[in-house]
Amino acid sequence: MSKLDVEVDTLDRHVELFYEDAGYGFPVVLSHGWPFDHGTWEEQRAALLDKGCRVITYDRRGFGASSRPQGSYDYNRFADDLAVLLQHLDLRDVTLVGFSMGVGEIVRYMVRHLGQRVSRLALVSSIVPSLRRSADNADGLDELVFLRMAADIRSDRYEFASRFTDLLFEGDRESTVSEAQKRWIQSQINDASTEALLACIQLFQEADFTSELQNIHVPTLVVHGTGDRIAPIAATGARLAQMLPVCVYEAYQDAPHGLFATHAEQLSANLLELVRTPPTVTLPAATA
């Protein structure tokens, strides 16, 4: 296992991204969700390595051990950071896995960088196509939800971290996540940049990836919990699966948003099955 820092030359400045690269087999790159860091993938990372994969996890700018540049948080920059990481490691035939906000980052990468180096996608607990309620997304979240989150972070970000961690696993009937594990996950939120936390909430409120999904034509796994109270499945995962041309849809019964922990073994098994999928690409139909 190696722990390295890579200097990423982005549109505006040099940004240092922290990543871990281990193993020697099929490359799997895991993009974490908001407001956490790469550590949330601990269970899946171990399972993938055990089955002979090469696994790369990293911290998004503003989170974990990566740089925290001022005024530099949007999906284009996140996608560009990912592109430079893939190029830096010269990865090919990659399986890209995104959790929650990481799904938006991956979708933007696939469009903005034409899906280069990527053969398969896994989109877990997605916030895509969009989170905000609209005429096209009646099951989305009301604008007041985002405003309240931002206000709570400004008021007491540590209290917000505690409540958000509880919400991450709310509805987990078997209580599979220990209090110690919750405290560890909460510590990731505590360590994030306040500016990055607030900027990403604005992105959640504004972003709509509906028009971008038609450009994705690689085998894709969509995983979502029916009990998700952060990104309701009817507004996100279910709609996402309908919009993708090459998709396997797994709805985990009663699973919460944080299914990377509550359903770790099941998710790892689904990811391993995806990694073994032949890297075929379905092209869009020709137009007259």
Side-chain angles (χ1 to χ4, degrees):
M1 183 179 72
S2 60
K3 294 184 178 181
L4 307 171
D5 293 321
V6 57
E7 192 172 78
V8 178
D9 188 5
T10 59
L11 296 175
D12 50 349
R13 67 197 73 192
H14 287 281
V15 175
E16 195 172 62
L17 291 183
F18 175 85
Y19 69 88
E20 293 186 354
D21 179 7
Y24 301 96
F26 294 112
V28 182
V29 178
L30 301 117
S31 176
H32 66 81
W34 178 94
F36 312 112
D37 62 35
H38 77 283
T40 51
W41 289 118
E42 183 177 47
E43 295 286 345
Q44 288 70 45
R45 180 179 183 274
L48 291 165
L49 286 172
D50 186 58
K51 296 300 182 180
C53 296
R54 178 181 179 184
V55 183
I56 297 92
T57 56
Y58 65 100
D59 291 337
R60 184 175 297 111
R61 58 168 65 198
F63 299 89
S66 288
S67 296
R68 305 178 177 204
Q70 186 176 4
S72 184
Y73 301 99
D74 59 62
Y75 279 112
N76 285 346
R77 288 185 171 94
F78 297 153
D80 291 347
D81 288 348
L82 175 57
V84 175
L85 180 63
L86 298 183
Q87 182 179 13
H88 172 78
L89 296 174
D90 194 24
L91 300 176
R92 302 176 190 278
D93 191 20
V94 174
T95 299
L96 266 185
V97 183
F99 170 73
S100 195
M101 183 181 186
V103 175
E105 177 178 299
I106 285 175
V107 170
R108 183 59 53 85
Y109 170 83
M110 295 297 290
V111 175
R112 186 171 171 86
H113 295 277
L114 305 179
Q116 296 180 70
R117 302 174 180 270
V118 177
S119 297
R120 305 163 204 83
L121 301 178
L123 311 178
V124 181
S125 297
S126 175
I127 64 165
V128 172
S130 61
L131 269 182
R132 184 177 177 178
R133 183 178 301 157
S134 66
D136 297 325
N137 190 20
D139 296 299
L141 303 179
D142 188 88
E143 181 181 11
L144 288 176
V145 174
F146 304 104
L147 296 176
R148 189 177 302 115
M149 289 172 64
D152 288 347
I153 289 173
R154 291 188 177 99
S155 175
D156 187 341
R157 53 171 291 168
Y158 303 107
E159 175 61 24
F160 169 83
S162 176
R163 286 188 280 106
F164 189 82
T165 303
D166 288 338
L167 184 60
L168 185 69
F169 303 114
E170 193 170 316
D172 177 24
R173 295 182 177 180
E174 298 181 6
S175 300
T176 55
V177 180
S178 68
E179 289 302 316
Q181 187 173 9
K182 287 182 179 179
R183 289 195 299 271
W184 172 66
I185 292 172
Q186 183 181 335
S187 71
Q188 297 178 21
I189 309 176
N190 292 340
D191 191 48
S193 155
T194 299
E195 182 186 0
L197 292 175
L198 294 171
C200 289
I201 290 177
Q202 189 67 30
L203 294 180
F204 302 153
Q205 186 175 350
E206 298 172 350
D208 187 337
F209 293 89
T210 301
S211 63
E212 299 179 52
L213 294 174
Q214 63 185 340
N215 297 295
I216 295 177
H217 301 283
V218 297
T220 301
L221 168 69
V222 173
V223 176
H224 215 100
T226 64
D228 193 326
R229 301 185 185 181
I230 291 176
I233 189 171
T236 53
R239 294 176 64 226
L240 173 61
Q242 291 176 349
M243 295 178 185
L244 292 170
V246 190
C247 174
V248 172
Y249 179 36
E250 296 282 351
Y252 290 6
Q253 190 63 36
D254 298 324
H257 193 67
L259 53 78
F260 62 85
T262 61
H263 293 65
E265 187 174 339
Q266 184 177 357
L267 177 58
S268 296
N270 284 150
L271 293 179
L272 284 165
E273 185 176 359
L274 175 67
V275 170
R276 297 175 180 135
T277 301
T280 56
V281 175
T282 300
L283 299 177
T287 56

